C-alpha cells in the first residue's frame, strides 16, 4: 500500500505537468486578513476567511461579510465565490457569485441562515466560502434562426427526472 504523502506528491507532480499555472494577484486591505489558500493539495477552491473587528450575527436577511482582501484575476480567467459544503450542512447560506475581472474592491461574501436555524455568529478568521478560479475560452455569440435537435429538446426544470 502506498503512503499518502507519496500519492499526494505524485498527484501534485501530475497536476503541475498537466496544468499551466496562473497567478491570481491578492492584496490585503487589512493586515489581519488571510490570503486564500487550498485546504488540501487537490482542492478546487481556495478558502475565503472572514475579516472582522467583532463577531457578526447572521439572520434570515442576507449580510455582506468582509474578507479584507481584493483580487486581480489574470486575463482570460473567471473568479467565483462558492459555498462551503460544511456550512451548507449546518444551515448557513452563501450566495454563489462572480467577481468581475475589472473589480478591484474588497471581496464580500453574502451570507444568511437557512431552514430552522434562527441565527449564526461569524468570527474573525472563520472559513466562510471558497474562491474558485477557472480559465475561460473565447466565445463568439452567433445569432441563428434555429437550433439543432436534441433528445431533451425544450424540456426545462425537472424534465430529466429526479
Amino acid at each position: 500500500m502506498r503512503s499518502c504523502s507519496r500519492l499526494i506528491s505524485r498527484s501534485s507532480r501530475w497536476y503541475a505537468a498537466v496544468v499551466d499555472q496562473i497567478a491570481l494577484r491578492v492584496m490585503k486591505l487589512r493586515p489581519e486578513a488571510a490570503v486564500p489558500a487550498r485546504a488540501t493539495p487537490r482542492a478546487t477552491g481556495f478558502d475565503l476567511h472572514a475579516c472582522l473587528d467583532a463577531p457578526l450575527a447572521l439572520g434570515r436577511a442576507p449580510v455582506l461579510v468582509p474578507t479584507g482582501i481584493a483580487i486581480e484575476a489574470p486575463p482570460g480567467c473567471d473568479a467565483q465565490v462558492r459555498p462551503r459544503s460544511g456550512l451548507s450542512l449546518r444551515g448557513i447560506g452563501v450566495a454563489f457569485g462572480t467577481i468581475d475581472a475589472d473589480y478591484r474592491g474588497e471581496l464580500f461574501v453574502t451570507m444568511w441562515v437557512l431552514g430552522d436555524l434562527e441565527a449564526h455568529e461569524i468570527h474573525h478568521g472563520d472559513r466562510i466560502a471558497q474562491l474558485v478560479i477557472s480559465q475561460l475560452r473565447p466565445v463568439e455569440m452567433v445569432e441563428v434562426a434555429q437550433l439543432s435537435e436534441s433528445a431533451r429538446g425544450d424540456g426545462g426544470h425537472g424534465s430529466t427526472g429526479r
Side-chain angles (χ1 to χ4, degrees):
M1 183 171 199
R2 297 181 182 134
S3 73
C4 284
S5 61
R6 259 197 293 182
L7 287 174
I8 290 171
S9 175
R10 184 174 298 165
S11 65
S12 296
R13 282 194 309 269
W14 172 84
Y15 186 79
V18 173
V19 179
D20 292 333
Q21 187 167 339
I22 58 173
L24 179 77
R25 295 173 54 118
V26 179
M27 182 173 71
K28 284 186 173 186
L29 302 175
R30 296 174 50 186
E32 63 277 12
V35 172
R38 287 185 167 113
T40 63
R42 294 179 68 183
T44 301
F46 295 81
D47 287 331
L48 289 174
H49 298 261
C51 188
L52 304 169
D53 293 324
L56 180 62
L58 299 180
R60 301 245 178 246
V63 173
L64 293 176
V65 181
T67 64
I69 63 167
I71 66 169
E72 180 180 339
C77 289
D78 179 41
Q80 298 175 0
V81 173
R82 296 186 185 176
R84 293 188 64 241
S85 58
L87 287 178
S88 298
L89 185 62
R90 293 180 13 221
I92 311 301
V94 171
F96 187 105
T98 296
I99 301 156
D100 291 322
D102 57 351
Y103 176 65
R104 296 296 185 268
E106 182 172 6
L107 265 62
F108 289 88
V109 176
T110 306
M111 301 181 75
W112 64 93
V113 297
L114 303 165
D116 294 335
L117 192 61
E118 292 298 321
H120 179 78
E121 202 167 75
I122 301 292
H123 298 92
H124 176 76
D126 284 355
R127 294 183 302 160
I128 56 172
Q130 293 188 55
L131 183 66
V132 176
I133 310 300
S134 55
Q135 290 186 302
L136 301 172
R137 303 237 348 172
V139 174
E140 176 187 358
M141 293 292 162
V142 179
E143 185 177 356
V144 297
Q146 190 173 346
L147 300 175
S148 64
E149 296 288 326
S150 75
R152 183 175 183 172
D154 62 0
H157 296 289
S159 67
T160 61
R162 291 187 183 246

